[in-house]
Amino acid sequence: MGKIIEATANKNVLGVTVAARRLDAASARDFKLECEAAWSAAITAVEIDLSNVDFIDSSGVGALLSIYKKLPAQSSGVKLLRTRPAVQSVIELLRLHRIFELHG
């Protein structure tokens, strides 16, 4: 499998596009490692484009939460962009729309 994400940092915002169709146990570890490689101390907000992701499981949710936890306390947080209905349903079912800003 190739890279899971494409990441670009613009000042204090890390933009991440997930290339994988599934954010699950098979891809979550690589997702976290690739985000870690793109991370810098200046990051205070993350925007994750999930337009390619059809499926997310607990490992994928855990990977998203790990990004949230890396941010400083007074950060802008994590925006999930272009979430597909199935992925958005999982996020809302787990009540994580209180943590993540969802943009369908």
Side-chain angles (χ1 to χ4, degrees), residues 16-78:
V16 175
T17 300
V18 181
R21 289 274 179 222
R22 298 172 62 92
L23 196 50
D24 57 13
S27 61
R29 182 176 177 271
D30 289 337
F31 172 86
K32 289 193 283 188
L33 290 172
E34 291 174 24
C35 285
E36 181 72 31
W39 199 266
S40 76
I43 301 297
T44 60
V46 180
E47 295 178 350
I48 303 174
D49 183 336
L50 294 172
S51 60
N52 294 319
V53 180
D54 294 324
F55 175 84
I56 189 168
D57 71 1
S58 60
S59 297
V61 170
L64 294 176
L65 285 169
S66 73
I67 298 304
Y68 172 77
K69 289 177 184 176
K70 286 182 66 66
L71 290 168
Q74 304 303 324
S75 72
S76 300
V78 177

Side-chain angles (χ1 to χ4, degrees), residues 56 61 64-65 68 78 80 86-102:
I56 189 168
V61 170
L64 294 176
L65 285 169
Y68 172 77
V78 177
L80 302 181
V87 173
Q88 188 160 335
S89 293
V90 170
I91 299 297
E92 289 174 350
L93 179 68
L94 296 172
R95 299 185 189 271
L96 293 176
H97 57 286
R98 297 174 181 177
I99 294 174
F100 299 121
E101 192 176 317
L102 294 175

